[in-house]
Amino acid sequence: MKPDPTELAHILDTDGNFRVIRRLEERSRYNDDDGSEKFLGIYLDVECTGLDYARESIIELGMIRFEYSREGKIFRVLETFDEYEDPGVPIPPFITALTGITDEMVDGKRIDDGAVKAFIEDASIVIAHNAGFDRKFMEKRFPMFAGKSWGCSQREVPWDEEGIESFKLEYIAYRMGFFYEGHRADIDCRAGLEALSRPLPRSNQLPLAILLENAGKTTYLIWAIGSPYETKDILRERGYRWSPGGDGRLKSWYKEVDSDDKDAEIKYLKDEIYVKAVEPRVDKVTALERYSDRV
C-alpha cells in the first residue's frame, strides 16, 4: 500500500527532528465569520520589465480582494484579478527567465483601467510585499492608487524579531510552513496573503494586525540636507539612507522616524552633525503617501 502523505507528514512533524512544509493551497476563506466589523483589503503584486518605475513598464498585475477585521483576522477572499499588459518593447530575457512571462503572452494585451478602478474602489488599504516598488509603478500607470492608503508586508511586519532573518517572501513562506513557485503576480499575492494570515512563530500575533497598526502610524522623514561629507558613516550607522537625487528628488541622507522620536532626531542633527545653525527638512508621512514617489 502507498503510504498516506498526510499521516507521514504528521509523524515527521511530531518527531522533533524534521520540519515539514506544505505546498500553498488556493483558499476562498481563511476564517469563519465571527460577527466582527469587516473591511475590504487588496493584496497586490506587479511584474515589470525592470526595476526603475520611471523607465520600465508593468507586464502583469495580480490582485486579491479580501475581508479583514481590525484585529487582523482575514475572512473571505472575494475576488481575484490577473491581467497582462504589452509593454511595447521586448521583455528582457532575464525577466522572462525570472517570471516565465514571454512576449507572446503579453502581445497586444492591455490591463483594463475600468476593471482595476472597480476592483479597488471601496478598499480600505492596498498591501504589497515591498510596496516601495509596487506603489510607484501602480501610481504611474493607474493614478487612482494615489488616493489609497498602502501597507507593506515586507517592512511593516517585524519578521526579524520573530526569528525570520530574510524579508524575501519565499523565505518567509518557508518559515511560516508553506512553499510555492514564485515570481508570478497572482501566485505571489496568494503567498503574501497566506503569510499574513498565520500566527507569528514567537509572539503568536497575527502579522496583518501588526501591519495595520504600523501602516496607520504617522511618521516623519528627517532630511540631513547639507550634512558634512565626513559624517556619512556616522549617519549610515544611525540608520540614515542615501537619496541620490534626480527627477526632482532630494539629494541627501534621510531617516524615517516615529512621532515620538522626531524632536530628538532633529536635536541630534543640530548638536552632532551640523557645524552651524541649520534646520533639517522634515516631511510628514502617512499611509496615503508612504512608499510613493511623493516622499
Side-chain angles (χ1 to χ4, degrees):
M1 289 181 62
K2 184 179 178 181
D4 179 7
T6 303
E7 185 178 339
L8 288 175
H10 177 71
I11 293 170
L12 291 171
D13 267 338
T14 55
D15 180 271
N17 293 312
F18 302 91
R19 171 176 288 170
V20 178
I21 60 172
R22 292 165 172 80
R23 182 184 295 276
L24 174 65
E25 295 181 358
E26 187 170 345
R27 297 215 243 176
S28 60
R29 182 184 296 274
Y30 286 84
N31 290 286
D32 292 331
D33 192 340
D34 61 4
S36 60
E37 185 181 7
K38 308 293 190 305
F39 301 88
L40 295 178
I42 302 294
Y43 199 101
L44 172 154
D45 185 72
V46 293
E47 302 299 339
C48 305
T49 54
L51 299 177
D52 185 351
Y53 76 97
R55 296 175 178 83
E56 306 294 347
S57 302
I58 293 172
I59 53 176
E60 184 186 19
L61 168 61
M63 296 188 287
I64 294 179
R65 182 178 157 95
F66 64 96
E67 293 177 326
Y68 69 93
S69 68
R70 293 186 193 277
E71 293 72 33
K73 221 173 181 181
I74 299 173
F75 297 95
R76 293 182 299 161
V77 170
L78 301 174
E79 200 176 351
T80 60
F81 182 102
D82 187 34
E83 289 189 5
Y84 295 117
E85 180 149 297
D86 190 338
V89 296
I91 297 174
F94 79 93
I95 295 294
T96 295
L98 181 68
T99 66
I101 300 173
T102 65
D103 291 327
E104 291 72 25
M105 292 167 66
V106 303
D107 185 31
K109 295 184 177 178
R110 182 171 175 83
I111 298 169
D112 186 331
D113 293 53
V116 171
K117 182 179 180 181
F119 198 91
I120 71 162
E121 201 159 26
D122 51 359
S124 299
I125 191 168
V126 176
I127 301 171
H129 201 74
N130 190 11
F133 173 84
D134 297 77
R135 181 166 194 171
K136 294 179 179 68
F137 273 96
M138 290 304 295
E139 289 191 6
K140 173 191 170 189
R141 173 64 180 83
F142 304 100
M144 77 245 346
F145 278 89
K148 289 295 180 182
S149 295
W150 280 68
C152 181
S153 57
Q154 182 185 78
R155 286 188 55 188
E156 292 177 337
V157 179
W159 302 110
D160 52 345
E161 294 176 15
E162 299 289 332
I164 301 175
E165 300 85 358
S166 171
F167 293 167
K168 284 186 172 292
L169 187 53
E170 293 93 335
Y171 185 76
I172 290 171
Y174 156 69
R175 293 299 303 272
M176 298 294 275
F178 67 95
F179 71 95
Y180 70 102
E181 287 73 37
H183 296 302
R184 287 295 302 277
D186 58 335
I187 298 171
D188 285 356
C189 285
R190 289 197 291 112
L193 196 61
E194 183 73 28
L196 290 178
S197 76
R198 299 191 177 200
L200 290 164
R202 289 181 179 172
S203 67
N204 208 40
Q205 291 181 278
L206 290 174
L208 181 58
I210 299 174
L211 184 152
L212 292 172
E213 180 182 355
N214 287 328
K217 292 179 179 177
T218 295
T219 58
Y220 293 86
L221 289 181
I222 309 293
W223 296 87
I225 297 173
S227 57
Y229 176 79
E230 58 271 18
T231 64
K232 62 182 178 61
D233 292 333
I234 298 172
L235 290 169
R236 185 186 294 112
E237 289 177 8
R238 193 172 171 87
Y240 281 76
R241 301 169 67 185
W242 175 249
S243 170
D247 295 328
R249 301 182 184 91
L250 288 172
K251 185 176 182 179
S252 172
W253 290 95
Y254 71 96
K255 181 180 181 180
E256 187 172 1
V257 300
D258 291 338
S259 301
D260 293 343
D261 300 324
K262 175 170 69 80
D263 291 341
E265 196 62 34
I266 292 172
K267 185 176 187 304
Y268 169 79
L269 288 178
K270 289 180 176 180
D271 293 347
E272 304 294 335
I273 298 300
Y274 293 122
V275 294
K276 57 183 179 180
V278 176
E279 283 293 331
R281 171 169 166 166
V282 181
D283 292 334
K284 183 179 178 180
V285 183
T286 71
L288 287 170
E289 304 90 22
R290 195 172 293 119
Y291 309 117
S292 74
D293 64 353
R294 298 186 302 281
V295 294

